[in-house]
Amino acid sequence: MKTDFLKYNDQFIDGPLVLTPQTFFDDRGFFFESWNERSFINTLKENTKFFDLNSSITFVQDNQSLSKKNILRGLHYQIKPFDQGKLVSCIKGEIFDVIVDLRKESKTFGKWAGIYLSEKNFNQIWIPSGFAHGFYSLKDQTRVLYKTTNFWNKDSERTILWNDPNINICWPTNGLSPSVSNKDKEGSLLIEIIENELF
């Protein structure tokens, strides 16, 4: 499994990892392991700067979404004790996947990073708890699959406004106005989250 780190400008964001599984191609198509617990945990342990060796990761829920082109979902997170880590894949189509660091003690607090996930590049992103997450669909019939380390909890869910000017995410919309749900349109600004300690 190939591993890479996400960056904000030239600075690494501690914690999240880009994972690319080894893929085997032949004239029939391809094969790869989309989930292997042992390989995943070993990958995290090899990056000890980003992973507590005494902790463990258990996924309890799988979610899938289907999106038309130009759909934007996010930025979502859950507060403790229902905070979630996520392992995100795009199994059909393509997305621009975005995280925002909400860990108050982090050097990159309030910063964002993004990566393209698609059915062709097989990339996955591991997002530890403490990050908001969202994505923009670049193709019709795009399907996203993500595993979570905690169950969804309505009362714990929070949303940051996708176009918060203080975060200034460079969404690859090519000048289009993305389609956003009413709930996401009513997301909070990061400054409001900080002032009201909505972590």
Side-chain angles (χ1 to χ4, degrees):
M1 179 178 292
K2 179 184 175 184
T3 307
D4 203 356
F5 303 110
L6 285 170
K7 291 183 179 180
Y8 170 75
N9 291 336
D10 290 328
Q11 186 175 18
F12 289 123
I13 296 183
D14 295 357
L17 293 172
V18 179
L19 308 173
T20 306
Q22 185 178 9
T23 306
F24 302 92
F25 295 90
D26 61 26
D27 56 2
R28 300 169 298 168
F30 65 80
F31 170 85
F32 70 93
E33 291 183 345
S34 60
W35 167 244
N36 181 307
E37 182 181 30
R38 181 173 55 192
S39 177
F40 178 72
I41 295 299
N42 286 341
T43 297
L44 296 187
K45 286 182 176 180
E46 289 169 3
N47 298 278
T48 53
K49 179 180 179 183
F50 308 99
F51 181 66
D52 180 358
L53 293 175
N54 296 316
S55 65
S56 62
I57 303 292
T58 301
F59 292 111
V60 299
Q61 183 173 316
D62 278 10
N63 301 323
Q64 287 196 42
S65 68
L66 176 68
S67 300
K68 298 177 181 178
K69 185 178 181 180
N70 199 42
I71 298 293
L72 194 151
R73 300 177 185 267
L75 302 155
H76 303 145
Y77 67 100
Q78 292 190 173
I79 60 173
K80 294 181 178 181
F82 295 100
D83 51 316
Q84 295 176 315
K86 298 177 180 179
L87 182 65
V88 183
S89 307
C90 181
I91 57 177
K92 183 178 180 182
E94 184 177 22
I95 62 171
F96 184 66
D97 203 70
V98 169
I99 59 170
V100 177
D101 192 347
L102 298 180
R103 301 167 300 174
K104 288 185 287 187
E105 73 284 358
S106 172
K107 296 181 296 183
T108 52
F109 174 77
K111 306 303 182 184
W112 71 275
I115 184 173
Y116 290 93
L117 305 178
S118 76
E119 62 181 310
K120 293 183 178 180
N121 65 23
F122 306 108
N123 284 339
Q124 300 175 317
I125 179 173
W126 160 241
I127 308 168
S129 63
F131 287 83
H133 171 249
F135 65 85
Y136 176 69
S137 178
L138 294 156
K139 295 183 179 180
D140 279 329
Q141 301 301 306
T142 288
R143 291 179 63 185
V144 173
L145 167 67
Y146 58 99
K147 308 174 81 65
T148 67
T149 60
N150 212 336
F151 296 105
W152 179 73
N153 182 276
K154 181 179 179 180
D155 295 332
S156 299
E157 187 176 48
R158 301 290 185 270
T159 302
I160 298 176
L161 195 62
W162 67 274
N163 58 352
D164 184 333
N166 290 311
I167 302 175
N168 196 28
I169 297 170
C170 297
W171 298 100
T173 60
N174 293 320
L176 298 174
S177 295
S179 178
V180 182
S181 71
N182 289 332
K183 182 185 77 170
D184 290 352
K185 288 178 182 177
E186 297 172 357
S188 301
L189 295 171
L190 181 61
I191 188 67
E192 296 172 335
I193 289 171
I194 296 171
E195 290 175 350
N196 295 298
E197 296 188 348
L198 300 176
F199 295 97

